Amino acid sequence: MSLVLPTRARSSAALVLAGVLWGTGGLAGSLLGDLAGLHPLAVAAYRLLVGGGVATLFVLLKGGALPRTPEAAKRVFVVGGLFALFQASYFAAVALSSVSVATMTTIGAAPVMVTLASVRKPQPWTLVSMLGTVAGLVLLRWSPDEPAHLFGGLACALLAAAGFAVLTLVTAKPVEGLEPLSTTAFGCLTGGLLLSPVAGWFGMALPLHADVLAVACYLGAVPTALAYAAYLRGLADAHPVLGALSAVLEPLTAAVLAAVLFGERLGVTAWCGAAVLVAALAVGYWRPEPR
């Protein structure tokens, strides 16, 4: 027992770190798009390319090598494709609906999909945590001004949720010779290369200004390379359902940062949603689904 608890604590800390860092990515991506005049798909491509490039450089400097086995190469290609699918579908959902609807649907649906795919009979505490997560996201992101005809946006958001769910389930099973950081590095780079032809259609010219380059480096290094490396590290010793639930820290962190840094006021409903989210996550970490 003394060996299990520290491992679980480290995994939980890694998943929490990933969720919080993802929450800064939305603000950084929006800032990069505004500063550089980029289409959201171009922002997504740069996010993966820069993140993959930074992580790959770090891996090589540590003495790491490219995937050498067919299993490792296949895993990198699959992860890269899922990264590209998740990013493209999410930003398509944003364009067809709104940031609130896209985020709420994607992050809310992913834990449900992971649970249905990985657990035959979910424990009561898992169901309570999932229901609380969905309810908290609705309260946090709900707006009475959202249009009702959002079928296309909802469909793309559900596709993004499916991509994230599959990514969570696939990477929960390690491949020999491929560490979480290497998976992140080569996967992000592959995803960025897959997205670039589509993003290039909308224009990917990046102004060589100090502020633009600084934001692009932060977006790639912190909420992408570091966050996904922490996420994949946490999944190595945690149940995939717990990993998917940790993703809800992204909109929670983004909402709090927007309120603190930009003076965006959160209403009573939003603060209630934040409280429900924290409680739902606490239940998930307190009573995790057994592996």
Side-chain angles (χ1 to χ4, degrees):
M1 182 65 70
S2 59
L3 295 177
V4 175
L5 291 178
T7 300
R8 179 180 295 175
R10 288 195 299 269
S11 299
S12 299
L15 293 175
V16 169
L17 175 64
V20 172
L21 293 181
W22 282 333
T24 69
L27 297 177
S30 298
L31 183 58
L32 179 61
D34 292 339
L35 290 175
L38 294 174
H39 187 274
L41 280 178
V43 173
Y46 274 121
R47 177 178 187 175
L48 293 177
L49 288 172
V50 174
V54 169
T56 298
L57 180 61
F58 185 77
V59 168
L60 295 178
L61 289 176
K62 284 185 61 179
L66 296 174
R68 295 180 176 178
T69 65
E71 292 78 11
K74 181 180 178 181
R75 171 61 60 86
V76 167
F77 184 78
V78 170
V79 169
L82 291 171
F83 273 142
L85 173 65
F86 172 67
Q87 293 288 334
S89 300
Y90 173 74
F91 283 113
V94 170
L96 292 172
S97 55
S98 68
V99 174
S100 297
V101 170
T103 303
M104 182 182 70
T105 305
T106 301
I107 302 301
V112 178
M113 293 181 178
V114 172
T115 302
L116 292 176
S118 62
V119 182
R120 292 183 179 181
K121 187 178 180 181
Q123 292 185 346
W125 286 114
T126 299
L127 297 176
V128 169
S129 184
M130 283 197 305
L131 291 175
T133 296
V134 174
L137 283 169
V138 171
L139 293 173
L140 182 67
R141 292 290 185 172
W142 180 79
S143 171
D145 299 324
E146 297 289 357
H149 51 288
L150 301 173
F151 179 77
L154 290 174
C156 289
L158 289 175
L159 181 60
F164 184 81
V166 174
L167 176 68
T168 298
L169 293 171
V170 167
T171 52
K173 301 176 182 178
V175 170
E176 185 177 356
L178 195 61
E179 298 179 350
L181 182 58
S182 299
T183 304
T184 301
F186 304 133
C188 282
L189 207 53
T190 301
L193 292 173
L194 292 174
L195 266 185
S196 292
V198 181
W201 180 266
F202 298 96
M204 290 185 64
L206 192 69
L208 300 179
H209 300 156
D211 54 349
V212 174
L213 296 178
V215 174
C217 289
Y218 176 84
L219 178 64
V222 180
T224 306
L226 181 57
Y228 275 107
Y231 184 70
L232 298 185
R233 169 63 185 85
L235 283 179
D237 298 302
H239 197 281
V241 173
L242 186 58
L245 285 172
S246 299
V248 303
L249 287 169
E250 176 182 356
L252 179 60
T253 302
V256 172
L257 286 177
V260 173
L261 298 178
F262 302 107
E264 295 184 8
R265 294 185 177 181
L266 295 179
V268 176
T269 301
W271 282 115
C272 289
V276 173
L277 271 180
V278 172
L281 280 174
V283 169
Y285 282 100
W286 179 48
R287 285 287 188 269
E289 192 76 32
R291 288 182 68 87

